[in-house]
Amino acid sequence: MHAAGPVTLSLVIPVFNEEDSLDGFLVRIGQVFAREAQIGLELVFVNDGSTDATLDRLLRHQMDDPRIRIVDLSRNFGKEAALSAGLQTATGRIVVPIDVDLQDPPEVILQMVARWREGYEMVLGHRISRRNDSWAKQTSANWFYRLHNRIAEQPLPENVGDFRLMDRCVVDALLTLPESRRFMKGLFAWVGFRTTHVDYERPERAAGKSKFNGWRLWNFALEGITSFSTEPLRIWTYLGAAVSLVSFGIAMFIVTRTLIYGVDLPGYASLMVAVTFLGGLQLIGIGVLGEYLGRTYIEAKHRPVFLVRRIYEPKD
């Protein structure tokens, strides 16, 4: 059990070109926590290289709200890096990553805090439906979770995003992980700790547009699979062995038929099919190797996950 007294909560909020969403988000946060005297709130906004007026609007809000801290990254590093920057900056005893689009309702945070007081160190926000997502997004998400959880050593909880409550011990553990290519959902699951969840209905986005298109989601899925499983490499070993056995069987059949019936004219079409099929398999296998080799190459450089241009404290 965690103490029932006052606690400091840090909200980590990555933003990229979200000037239209900030006002409504801050109003909603103010409404939710206005009567929560036992929760000291810290708002850590991470400006991930926005090219609109996001930073200027944040600075204006900061003049009126001393709870706001702004981490301004030197360029756009991506949400995973921005989230890592926010976790590194947050000072609260408990930390909750949340987006400004209000698809993750701030009211759920109060339920998470209640579960944390029961002794849990991580409280997941579990979406009970994805009805506001497109059919393609729902289908691809379901297939990704099925594939990932079948081949990865540490499964991911389905229909759970970055929205969760973490105790300080969880945040400190995450900050010790050294990789520069960070798939945060996998890292959250990998560290473990005592975990539970709260269910919630995910509404439509309040303002602005999602920055994740189909191509980015595809690359994100590849990142998740290759970050926590070497099973794709093993699959190609088995596939190569299977193709070799089939080829050996076909060769024995041809030899036997030739000895019995004599030599006939080989078929051009079947030859082209065999060559292109095996060539395609080889190229795909090389591509899988390249995915892992590329990640190894990037990790070997030991570049930082992000670079901070400036941290704007309330008195700056």
Side-chain angles (χ1 to χ4, degrees):
M1 296 285 292
H2 294 109
V7 63
T8 303
L9 165 65
S10 294
L11 299 184
V12 173
I13 312 134
V15 288
F16 175 64
N17 292 344
E18 294 284 4
E19 60 175 334
D20 295 331
S21 304
L22 289 173
D23 294 350
F25 173 79
L26 288 170
V27 169
R28 183 84 164 271
I29 291 294
Q31 293 172 346
V32 171
F33 291 94
R35 298 181 180 180
E36 298 298 324
Q38 296 293 311
I39 299 178
L41 194 61
E42 176 187 57
L43 303 171
V44 180
F45 285 91
V46 183
N47 180 39
D48 189 23
S50 297
T51 56
D52 61 359
T54 295
L55 179 59
D56 293 336
R57 188 161 294 187
L58 281 173
L59 290 172
R60 289 199 298 269
H61 281 294
Q62 189 183 56
M63 295 175 64
D64 301 323
D65 192 342
R67 301 173 301 179
I68 294 177
R69 302 175 67 196
I70 306 168
V71 182
D72 186 26
L73 302 187
S74 63
R75 63 170 177 83
N76 178 250
F77 286 90
K79 185 179 179 181
E80 308 298 283
L83 185 54
S84 299
L87 294 178
Q88 182 173 298
T89 307
T91 61
R93 170 68 191 279
I94 50 179
V95 179
V96 175
I98 187 172
D99 295 332
V100 295
D101 57 18
L102 294 176
Q103 286 192 288
D104 299 321
E107 292 83 359
V108 178
I109 298 175
L110 302 181
Q111 301 176 41
M112 293 179 172
V113 173
R115 300 308 304 273
W116 172 79
R117 292 193 187 277
E118 295 174 6
Y120 293 101
E121 293 154 331
M122 189 182 303
V123 184
L124 312 179
H126 177 254
R127 308 163 187 168
I128 59 177
S129 73
R130 306 182 69 100
R131 65 180 183 178
N132 291 319
D133 292 338
S134 65
W135 176 86
K137 190 172 183 180
Q138 292 181 43
T139 304
S140 59
N142 290 335
W143 277 105
F144 167 72
Y145 282 115
R146 290 179 184 177
L147 176 61
H148 183 280
N149 291 344
R150 181 175 292 273
I151 67 177
E153 295 182 2
Q154 181 61 46
L156 296 177
E158 295 190 23
N159 294 320
V160 172
D162 297 327
F163 184 48
R164 65 190 67 210
L165 180 147
M166 293 173 285
D167 187 85
R168 171 51 55 181
C169 64
V170 179
V171 176
D172 291 342
L174 287 167
L175 294 178
T176 65
L177 303 181
E179 54 254 61
S180 58
R181 296 292 294 266
R182 303 176 73 82
F183 179 67
M184 295 305 296
K185 291 182 181 64
L187 297 180
F188 290 146
W190 185 86
V191 295
F193 294 93
R194 291 192 294 272
T195 302
T196 187
H197 70 273
V198 296
D199 295 329
Y200 71 100
E201 184 78 32
R202 199 172 199 227
E204 294 184 1
R205 187 181 176 96
K209 296 181 179 180
S210 174
K211 308 306 184 295
F212 278 93
N213 53 33
W215 180 246
R216 291 189 67 181
L217 287 172
W218 168 257
N219 288 325
F220 189 62
L222 282 181
E223 187 75 37
I225 290 172
T226 55
S227 294
F228 287 88
S229 175
T230 58
E231 200 67 25
L233 295 174
R234 191 171 300 147
I235 289 172
W236 284 100
T237 301
Y238 296 136
L239 183 59
V243 171
S244 297
L245 288 174
V246 172
S247 300
F248 180 77
I250 293 174
M252 291 298 97
F253 171 75
I254 293 173
V255 169
T256 303
R257 190 183 64 174
T258 301
L259 290 175
I260 297 175
Y261 299 105
V263 180
D264 59 355
L265 182 64
Y268 175 77
S270 60
L271 179 63
M272 288 301 298
V273 169
V275 170
T276 54
F277 174 70
L278 293 176
L281 285 181
Q282 290 172 343
L283 290 175
I284 294 174
I286 292 172
V288 173
L289 287 172
E291 288 288 336
Y292 284 93
L293 182 60
R295 280 156 176 73
T296 304
Y297 171 67
I298 292 173
E299 292 290 346
K301 293 181 178 181
H302 298 296
R303 288 177 180 170
V305 180
F306 55 86
L307 292 174
V308 176
R309 188 177 71 87
R310 182 177 175 182
I311 297 179
Y312 294 88
E313 302 290 352
K315 295 181 181 180
D316 285 358

